[in-house]
Amino acid sequence: MSKVRNISHVVSEFILLGFPCRWEIEIFLFSIFFITYILTLLGNMAIVCAVRWDRQLRTPMYVLLANFSFLEICYVNSDVPNMLANFFSQTKTISFARCLLQLYFFFSLGTTECLFLSIMAYDRFLAICHPLHYPTIMTSKFCSRLVIFCWVYGFLWFLIPVILVTQLPFCGPNVIDDFLCDLGPLLALASACVPVPGTVLICGTMSSLLIFATFFYITGSYTLVLRVVMQVPSVAGRKKAFSTCSSHLAVVFLFYSSVMMTYVSPGSGQAEGMQKFTTLFYSVFTPFFNPIIYSLRNKEMKDALKKYIEIQ
């Protein structure tokens, strides 16, 4: 036990390889990621401001959407700025403490996103399947409690895995073939020193439990919603319900399809480079697509954004 404690502090920093390639390609990638990052911030900030300033959007659905957009702003800021800075770094190093801090915030925000997607599915389920009870159940007070629950529980869920990672014996290898401190590569580095099956099992179980529980809840909710929508006699009513649900389902598909490939079995030895690109997709590009999906598929949001742009 003392031996493990002694070697656990050998590594004081990690090297994030990022996207090693020729300088010209690195400049091209930097430009793409930087533009995507700025557009992501602008798109999500526009939704937050539109909901804040338009009284017609002060409903639970849009309050949840505004919180979700704010979450996406936090999410991209947990990894993209460091990734962009690494393109111009000679050493590409990140300290042990900063690495674990990034791991905690990245996973906590990802957990919060899963919870918000579930709550948004619950909101649509109530609104469409139980419209008469919706105003009495989904009150402003109850909606606020749901928002607080998502944020608090999201930051509590991954405390145990992160604490376990801090106790792992990083004895020498410190090169991470990724653009952030991700769980899989860190477990792989620790496993190169001593076997850590217990930590891998706990991290994998908690990741799988969160991902599958929220995913099945969301798909179950929307299955019930679509069954009700198919019975709506009005074509206009059906179209509006389909429009709202399809935008939500598009975001769910984009997020969960890549997350499941990455975190259901962390440290299991995926194809080299595969995890890097799946992580890139859901952590950089999904937050970029979300404002586009929600604004293009929603008339009220488009009208609010037009008003906001005209005011500016």
Side-chain angles (χ1 to χ4, degrees), residues 132-164:
L132 297 179
H133 299 290
Y134 181 78
T136 57
I137 297 175
M138 190 60 76
T139 61
S140 297
K141 188 175 182 180
F142 182 60
C143 182
S144 298
R145 287 178 177 175
L146 290 176
V147 169
I148 293 170
F149 166 79
C150 289
W151 283 103
V152 173
Y153 200 78
F155 275 79
L156 290 177
W157 180 258
F158 244 87
L159 265 178
I160 292 175
V162 171
I163 291 172
L164 289 175

Side-chain angles (χ1 to χ4, degrees), residues 177-179 182-185 261-263 265-280 282:
D177 187 14
D178 211 329
F179 60 91
D182 211 347
L183 184 60
M261 293 176 63
T262 308
Y263 296 117
S265 183
S268 60
Q270 295 186 41
E272 189 175 350
M274 186 64 180
Q275 177 167 326
K276 184 191 304 185
F277 290 104
T278 54
T279 305
L280 179 70
Y282 78 79

Side-chain angles (χ1 to χ4, degrees), residues 41 68-79 105 109 151 155:
L41 294 181
F68 186 73
S69 293
F70 177 71
L71 169 65
E72 296 291 53
I73 293 171
C74 297
Y75 202 29
V76 294
N77 277 314
S78 69
D79 63 309
F105 276 100
L109 291 167
W151 283 103
F155 275 79

Side-chain angles (χ1 to χ4, degrees), residues 181-289:
C181 290
D182 211 347
L183 184 60
L186 286 173
L187 291 177
L189 288 180
S191 298
C193 300
V194 294
V196 287
T199 302
V200 172
L201 178 63
I202 292 172
C203 292
T205 301
M206 295 192 70
S207 297
S208 299
L209 183 62
L210 172 75
I211 292 167
F212 283 112
T214 54
F215 178 75
F216 285 128
Y217 176 80
I218 292 167
T219 52
S221 297
Y222 281 116
T223 299
L224 295 174
V225 166
L226 292 175
R227 282 179 60 186
V228 172
V229 169
M230 294 299 292
Q231 299 171 5
V232 174
S234 167
V235 176
R238 260 201 319 268
K239 185 178 179 181
K240 183 177 181 181
F242 267 124
S243 177
T244 303
C245 293
S246 62
S247 62
H248 288 201
L249 285 171
V251 171
V252 168
F253 174 77
L254 284 173
F255 182 73
Y256 277 95
S257 59
S258 52
V259 165
M260 284 183 175
M261 293 176 63
T262 308
Y263 296 117
V264 169
S265 183
S268 60
Q270 295 186 41
E272 189 175 350
M274 186 64 180
Q275 177 167 326
K276 184 191 304 185
F277 290 104
T278 54
T279 305
L280 179 70
F281 183 78
Y282 78 79
S283 65
V284 178
F285 292 111
T286 300
F288 166 73
F289 288 122

